[in-house]
Amino acid sequence: MHTQDISIMINSLLENGQFLTMSRQQPDVLKNRVNFSLANNTKVCIQGPGIISFAPQVSGDKAIILSCGIHGNETAPIEICEQYVSDILLGNMAVAHRVLFIFGNLPAMETGTRFIKENLNRLFSGAHANVQANANTYEVARAKELEESVAQFFNLGGAQETRYHYDLHTAIRPSKNEKFAVYPFLHGKAHSREQLSFLLACGIDTFLLSGSATTTFSYFSSHQFDAHAFTVELGKVQAFGQNDMTRFSQVQNTMKRFICGQAIEVKSFNNGDFSIYQVNQVINKSQNDFALDFADDLPNFSDFTAGTLLAHETGCEFRAQYDGEAVVFPNANVAIGQRAILTVVPTNIE
């Protein structure tokens, strides 16, 4: 891109703050890395379409990633992050720490779908290299690009920085616990009570403790970079412009204060404030006739008595093993070999 074109692009962003709009409508304009500074001396780095970081003149002790749109139809987190980026570019919000914003699946946002060819949230930790049938799909290339962006961002920081990654989503179906977070598998490390209390201040009181390595974005940051990382589910999928943003005011305001280095009122950790679950069964689809044995609109965290039939396919039935065992993320329409249901049982972090 010519110097004049770069200047025009930067001036446009400083005038209207519409980084996501430019990323969606003119991704080629943003394909090359661009660096510039805001009037308050905050350094801006555009790493590519939908990938932008901010660093204050004097950085704090945190490196924070907020990602959204890993599934293109999960619009509320996209709208939240879009507002943050716009406010920072327009000088209405000043970051106190290094912050990277990632808008994941740009083409899927345009089509209003979860993905185009591949589920992007199943392609991290190198899983993109194992996709054969559609090796040149957007999602395969995007997973690699996002991994590289996360690595570059975290590796720029010094030893004094604590790393955080909140991957913001909304769920396909409603939930008995509207807002919840998946805590990636920690390979024996202790769960952070401070992080649970921080997310409680965001209005999230339900946590699912993952019991194994996965290929999700949050696990990638947690395992590869020792970041405090979570997949955060903020409610149910809605179309762009159809979200009741008042339902997200608590998480929106708390995350903003976190980014800006402002005081946050956080309660001391108490197990009684939380609903915490651990994974009991990971049920994968292995036949085309895989089917759920409960209603399509059954909310996440609905529980069953032991022995209840949850799903079936040729040659196999899947049943609840314990009274109170609940289902999360049930989806019979996943690809062969992918997870169709998680079942969870109550626990605590003592």
Side-chain angles (χ1 to χ4, degrees):
M1 186 185 298
H2 298 300
T3 302
Q4 184 178 3
D5 294 331
I6 293 173
S7 297
I8 292 171
M9 180 197 72
I10 293 172
N11 288 335
S12 175
L13 289 174
L14 295 177
E15 289 173 3
N16 59 44
Q18 295 184 358
F19 173 71
L20 179 58
T21 299
M22 187 178 291
S23 294
R24 291 172 61 180
Q25 297 179 357
Q26 300 174 279
D28 288 346
V29 173
L30 301 174
K31 65 182 180 180
N32 296 316
R33 181 181 294 264
V34 175
N35 296 283
F36 59 97
S37 295
L38 304 180
N40 62 7
N41 293 317
T42 295
K43 296 177 181 178
V44 184
C45 178
I46 297 173
Q47 297 184 27
I51 308 170
I52 187 169
S53 67
F54 301 93
Q57 187 174 21
V58 179
S59 290
D61 59 358
K62 299 176 176 63
I64 304 164
I65 297 177
L66 291 181
S67 56
C68 62
I70 298 301
H71 297 131
N73 63 342
E74 298 178 4
T75 60
I78 298 169
E79 292 174 356
I80 291 170
C81 289
E82 181 181 21
Q83 188 64 58
Y84 288 152
V85 171
S86 178
D87 283 346
I88 296 168
L89 288 171
L90 296 176
N92 300 324
M93 177 177 163
V95 299
H97 307 283
R98 293 196 311 117
V99 185
L100 173 66
F101 291 93
I102 292 174
F103 300 88
N105 199 326
L106 299 171
M109 294 179 201
E110 292 300 298
T111 58
T113 55
R114 276 173 66 80
F115 49 83
I116 303 301
K117 290 289 186 180
E118 302 284 344
N119 184 344
L120 183 54
N121 211 28
R122 297 292 179 270
L123 295 178
F124 294 100
S125 295
H128 51 80
N130 299 322
V131 178
Q132 299 297 328
N134 296 294
N136 295 317
T137 66
Y138 171 84
E139 283 92 2
V140 168
R142 188 64 164 171
K144 185 175 184 293
E145 182 182 18
L146 297 187
E147 286 183 348
E148 291 170 351
S149 295
V150 168
Q152 291 168 5
F153 177 74
F154 280 145
N155 289 336
L156 274 176
Q160 79 282 358
E161 282 188 341
T162 304
R163 296 166 174 175
Y164 304 86
H165 180 182
Y166 305 101
D167 185 29
L168 307 180
H169 290 253
T170 50
I172 296 173
R173 62 181 62 224
S175 176
K176 292 176 68 175
N177 311 66
E178 183 185 53
K179 296 176 177 65
F180 63 97
V182 180
Y183 205 139
F185 183 55
L186 296 182
H187 297 269
K189 291 186 295 184
H191 296 93
S192 170
R193 297 184 178 203
E194 291 78 11
Q195 278 295 286
L196 294 179
S197 293
F198 167 72
L199 287 167
L200 182 65
C202 292
I204 300 157
D205 63 3
T206 301
F207 291 85
L208 195 168
L209 309 182
S210 182
S212 61
T214 64
T215 53
T216 63
F217 202 10
S218 62
Y219 174 81
F220 170 74
S221 291
S222 172
H223 185 55
Q224 296 294 326
F225 299 98
D226 199 28
H228 294 294
F230 297 85
T231 302
V232 182
E233 300 283 352
L234 295 178
K236 190 177 182 299
V237 165
Q238 302 289 348
F240 280 112
Q242 299 301 309
N243 294 292
D244 177 1
M245 298 307 289
T246 63
R247 304 185 73 86
F248 311 103
S249 59
Q250 192 172 356
V251 65
Q252 204 167 1
N253 293 335
T254 304
M255 283 289 181
K256 179 179 179 179
R257 298 185 72 83
F258 187 59
I259 293 167
C260 296
Q262 300 168 348
I264 301 170
E265 187 174 337
V266 178
K267 292 180 62 178
S268 297
F269 179 84
N270 183 330
N271 259 312
D273 292 330
F274 300 92
S275 296
I276 300 178
Y277 297 83
Q278 66 184 22
V279 173
N280 184 54
Q281 298 184 68
V282 179
I283 298 174
N284 293 327
K285 175 180 178 177
S286 61
Q287 303 288 340
N288 285 323
D289 62 355
F290 181 94
L292 304 175
D293 284 285
F294 46 78
D296 285 341
D297 59 353
L298 183 83
N300 282 317
F301 293 100
S302 296
D303 57 62
F304 299 87
T305 57
T308 302
L309 183 65
L310 303 177
H312 67 274
E313 62 184 14
T314 299
C316 195
E317 293 183 341
F318 305 96
R319 298 181 180 272
Q321 296 174 340
Y322 300 98
D323 289 338
E325 189 169 357
V327 295
V328 184
F329 303 132
N331 183 1
N333 296 320
V334 298
I336 297 293
Q338 290 191 356
R339 184 196 73 205
I341 313 175
L342 281 181
T343 75
V344 298
V345 293
T347 188
N348 57 56
I349 65 164
E350 293 295 333

